[in-house]
Amino acid sequence: MSITSLRSNNCLLSRLKLLVKQQQQKLVHTLSEGGLQAQSRPKMVPDSVPGEGFIDMSNWKKVDARVLGIKPTMISQSSWTVLKILQGEGFEAYLVGGCVRDLILKRIPKDFDVITTANLKQIKNQFHRAHIVGQRFPICMVHVKGSCHRGWLVNIVSSFATVAKQHSDKEEVTFSQMPKGCNKKDFIRWRNSMHRDFTINSLFFDPFSNKIYDYANGMADLRSLKLRSLVPAKLSFQEDCW
């Protein structure tokens, strides 16, 4: 092994350890602020990548957000605006990722990420102030005018189509492999969730129907303080451009 290769591997390992530590600290901090007591540090569990071509629907869950105490007022008005416009145009649109995790913990999220079935150009065309940014993983930055003197608020909106395109070369599971009885909307959400980093960040929330979609036991891992990765951590670092 060359010195350059050795240094590269050491750098990757250092970044991996740092990310795990940061995610563990963030989860403990979030649980504490959410009113839950963390008796111990979260357990880092091996990658939970499903077997090749295998889709286990037995663990898929749809939970009523109202049962968890999530109220409409916990969601920012600008996020509501983005969701209403997209759904009003016939697109599926959800809150996704860390904001859903925080809402479950009864903690007001700092940021609300939206994902939709609209492609980036369609997203951009729905809003007066919006622009597409990013090369490796493009997203749409949507500016929504806030109330009173808050000015313009930025909302990050991504597309299911972008994620599918990014993974098209290595995507093993296609619509032709969709299990019998599987809803197409469920399949799209599930496939996207499998490309996220940790199970606790793979949750989708439709505040109009008050449904939280959990395809990777994210809520169970959140309750038991498990930090379970969905993709191999090394791969996540190689694709992450920070």
Side-chain angles (χ1 to χ4, degrees):
M1 181 179 294
S2 66
I3 295 178
T4 302
S5 177
L6 182 59
R7 288 177 177 174
S8 177
N9 289 338
N10 288 339
C11 180
L12 183 63
L13 181 60
S14 297
R15 290 176 61 195
L16 173 59
K17 291 180 178 178
L18 178 60
L19 176 63
V20 171
K21 183 177 180 180
Q22 289 174 339
Q23 287 287 337
Q24 289 177 334
Q25 291 175 340
K26 184 176 182 180
L27 179 55
V28 173
H29 178 68
T30 301
L31 288 170
S32 298
E33 292 193 1
L36 299 177
Q37 295 183 349
Q39 300 296 331
S40 59
R41 293 179 63 82
K43 294 177 284 185
M44 183 63 185
V45 185
D47 302 324
S48 55
V49 182
E52 183 176 343
F54 176 73
I55 302 177
D56 182 8
M57 297 171 54
S58 63
N59 292 322
W60 292 8
K61 299 179 181 65
K62 297 178 183 179
V63 181
D64 190 328
R66 292 168 295 189
V67 175
L68 301 175
I70 297 177
K71 302 177 181 178
T73 54
M74 298 169 70
I75 302 171
S76 70
Q77 284 301 314
S78 63
S79 298
W80 274 113
T81 299
V82 172
L83 291 166
K84 286 178 181 177
I85 289 176
L86 289 171
Q87 290 205 11
E89 291 297 319
F91 300 109
E92 296 289 318
Y94 310 90
L95 295 176
V96 65
C99 65
V100 184
R101 174 201 65 210
D102 290 347
L103 287 171
I104 293 173
L105 296 171
K106 298 181 178 62
R107 180 172 181 263
I108 303 299
K110 294 180 180 179
D111 303 293
F112 291 86
D113 290 343
V114 174
I115 191 166
T116 177
T117 51
N119 61 44
L120 293 179
K121 289 185 179 179
Q122 290 172 325
I123 297 170
K124 186 176 183 296
N125 292 337
Q126 303 306 318
F127 302 93
H128 296 297
R129 294 187 61 180
H131 58 282
I132 299 171
V133 300
Q135 295 182 348
R136 296 186 63 185
F137 187 81
I139 58 173
C140 194
M141 305 289 285
V142 177
H143 299 257
V144 177
K145 193 168 183 60
S147 58
C148 300
H149 303 290
R150 298 193 65 186
W152 293 85
L153 303 175
V154 179
N155 297 264
I156 298 176
V157 185
S158 60
S159 169
F160 283 109
T162 302
V163 178
K165 183 178 179 180
Q166 290 291 322
H167 294 272
S168 60
D169 293 336
K170 45 196 169 184
E171 183 69 68
E172 297 294 337
V173 184
T174 63
F175 283 106
S176 63
Q177 296 169 281
M178 188 166 62
K180 184 179 180 180
C182 178
N183 181 284
K184 185 175 180 180
K185 293 179 181 179
D186 273 316
F187 183 80
I188 292 173
R189 289 187 295 258
W190 167 82
R191 190 167 63 174
N192 181 272
S193 71
M194 290 297 104
H195 292 305
R196 296 185 175 273
D197 52 3
F198 298 103
T199 59
I200 60 174
N201 294 330
S202 67
L203 303 166
F204 298 86
F205 176 33
D206 179 357
F208 296 102
S209 63
N210 287 301
K211 286 184 180 179
I212 292 177
Y213 300 90
D214 181 5
Y215 300 97
N217 281 328
M219 294 182 64
D221 288 344
L222 191 58
R223 286 193 296 268
S224 58
L225 294 178
K226 288 182 180 178
L227 192 60
R228 188 188 302 272
S229 59
L230 276 163
V231 298
K234 182 177 180 179
L235 176 61
S236 178
F237 267 101
Q238 290 173 344
E239 295 181 343
D240 195 343
C241 49
W242 60 272

